[in-house]
Amino acid sequence: MTPESGFPEAFVRRLDTILPPGILRGTVAAMAGPQAVGFRVNSLKATVDKVLAGLPVDAEPLPWLPGAFVVPAGHRQPLLDSDAFATGAIWIQNPSSMIPPVVLAPEAGESVLDLAAAPGSKTLQIACAMGPGADIAAVEVARPRFYRLKRNLRAQGAAWVKTFHRDGVTVPRYRADHFDRVLIDAPCSTEAQMRPDDPASFAHWSEKKVRTMAGKQRRLLEAAVRCARPGGVIVYSTCSFAPEENEMVVQHVLECFGDEVAIEPIALDIPGRLPGLPGWKDAEFDGSLSRAMRVLPDGVYEAFFVCRLRKR
């Protein structure tokens, strides 16, 4: 580990080549510092006014998502101790994690697939956006995570969501060209959640793990494209800085599907937002990858990558 950061030296060295010049120190400091706490009001169970009136802390709204708020780092425990949390009226979630469902923009009457759904944060956000009884399918391959997903959906008032204990890669066998919108918030190396005061958060990180995750992510994004109907929207996201898990995965799908998919712009004003990288090492990416979004950590937002594609 580098003494000045507490993070693995190989991670910091890579990060310096991924980020624009001059911002490494601030990015590492933001990852190491206090983290604000985001939450969403669960509109399946409560109204915003009722929740805010009963909270023990003041909350600042997120301007781009109605019903979403942020409180300072020291207020996490009061939120966890609140009646709103105990009854499922709020769901604690980092603001960056709320971005992919907003970019997906599901509408009432559509059919939506969450292809790697556990623990259910984004599935629940989609359910709130679409309303009770919406046509939502949530897939999870890991058995413990699958049952956690089901428990969370039930506790939050979204038990109607159809859940499937299945490898997302296999879903096109059953529902090819079917869904109006598909979300794949892919399993990743979780670099955004690494903290220097928690060695367990990066104990399993390595460049080999990054490459291994990238292989799984390519297969999942291929499956997501195949599950979407012509004209449908696919949103791909990770909480990783690694180009191998982000731009290179999307580039792979662009090359596989050719004119069948295209990257669309993301119209969200997010602090610390950067475009997708133009290339990585010896690889040059399609110019449309500049439409993807990288979010830098700043003490409120965690690092995230989001890309919106349209199937033609």
Side-chain angles (χ1 to χ4, degrees), residues 114-120 123 137-154 159 161-168:
D114 188 345
L115 200 53
T123 314
V139 175
E140 176 57 45
V141 65
R143 184 176 294 273
R145 289 172 58 81
F146 171 73
Y147 286 110
R148 182 182 177 195
L149 167 68
K150 288 180 71 69
R151 287 195 302 271
N152 284 337
L153 291 172
R154 185 167 53 248
V161 173
K162 296 181 288 291
T163 55
F164 300 90
H165 179 217
R166 184 170 294 156
D167 186 344

Side-chain angles (χ1 to χ4, degrees), residues 19 30 47 53 58 67 104 119 131 141 170 226 241 257 308:
L19 297 173
T47 64
D58 292 330
L104 189 69
V141 65
T170 69
R226 293 191 173 100
F241 291 98
F257 290 90
R308 174 181 163 119

Side-chain angles (χ1 to χ4, degrees), residues 7 10 62 74 94 100 121 154 165 183 188 193 197 234 252 293 301 310:
F7 290 110
L62 286 177
N94 186 267
S121 299
R154 185 167 53 248
H165 179 217
L183 174 64
C188 69
Q193 294 164 20
D197 58 357
I234 305 103
H252 167 79
M293 174 194 296
Y301 293 81
R310 175 83 62 174

Side-chain angles (χ1 to χ4, degrees), residues 10-280:
F11 169 71
V12 176
R13 187 169 59 245
R14 276 173 51 90
L15 193 57
D16 195 23
T17 64
I18 294 167
L19 297 173
I23 67 170
L24 174 66
R25 186 177 296 276
T27 299
V28 170
M31 293 176 70
Q35 304 294 306
V37 183
F39 70 90
R40 289 185 297 101
V41 173
N42 178 5
S43 58
L44 302 174
K45 286 202 160 192
T47 64
V48 170
D49 289 345
K50 183 176 180 180
V51 167
L52 294 183
L55 284 183
V57 295
D58 292 330
E60 179 182 349
L62 286 177
W64 48 270
L65 180 57
F69 300 87
V70 175
V71 299
H75 291 172
R76 181 181 185 87
Q77 195 57 49
L79 277 183
L80 293 175
D81 293 338
S82 68
D83 289 340
F85 182 77
T87 60
I90 63 171
W91 181 270
I92 293 178
Q93 184 178 357
N94 186 267
S96 292
S97 176
M98 303 179 196
I99 295 172
V102 173
V103 174
L104 189 69
E107 299 180 2
E110 292 183 328
S111 178
V112 177
L113 170 65
D114 188 345
L115 200 53
S121 299
K122 297 173 185 64
T123 314
L124 289 164
Q125 188 176 340
I126 292 167
C128 287
M130 298 182 72
D135 185 4
I136 304 169
V139 175
E140 176 57 45
V141 65
R143 184 176 294 273
R145 289 172 58 81
F146 171 73
Y147 286 110
R148 182 182 177 195
L149 167 68
K150 288 180 71 69
R151 287 195 302 271
N152 284 337
L153 291 172
R154 185 167 53 248
Q156 299 296 120
W160 82 85
V161 173
K162 296 181 288 291
T163 55
F164 300 90
H165 179 217
R166 184 170 294 156
D167 186 344
V169 171
T170 69
V171 176
R173 300 178 194 171
Y174 312 96
R175 289 292 185 269
D177 300 320
H178 178 80
F179 295 94
D180 296 293
R181 301 183 192 254
V182 181
L183 174 64
I184 173 61
D185 182 54
C188 69
S189 60
T190 61
E191 292 179 338
Q193 294 164 20
M194 293 165 54
R195 290 188 57 83
D197 58 357
D198 180 15
S201 68
F202 52 79
H204 302 291
W205 181 90
S206 69
E207 294 186 57
K208 181 179 179 180
K209 180 178 180 180
V210 167
R211 293 191 296 270
T212 298
M213 299 308 301
K216 296 177 180 179
Q217 293 154 352
R218 287 194 297 270
R219 293 188 291 274
L220 283 167
L221 185 52
E222 287 178 31
V225 173
R226 293 191 173 100
C227 287
R229 64 164 180 81
V233 171
I234 305 103
V235 170
Y236 175 77
S237 62
T238 78
C239 57
S240 171
F241 291 98
E244 296 94 332
E245 300 183 68
N246 297 326
E247 289 89 351
M248 291 183 75
V249 172
V250 179
Q251 177 70 27
H252 167 79
V253 164
L254 293 178
E255 293 170 358
C256 283
F257 290 90
D259 292 339
E260 193 176 347
V261 293
I263 300 174
E264 296 189 329
I266 298 173
L268 272 183
D269 185 14
I270 303 295
R273 172 179 175 169
L274 294 174
L277 298 178
W280 171 247

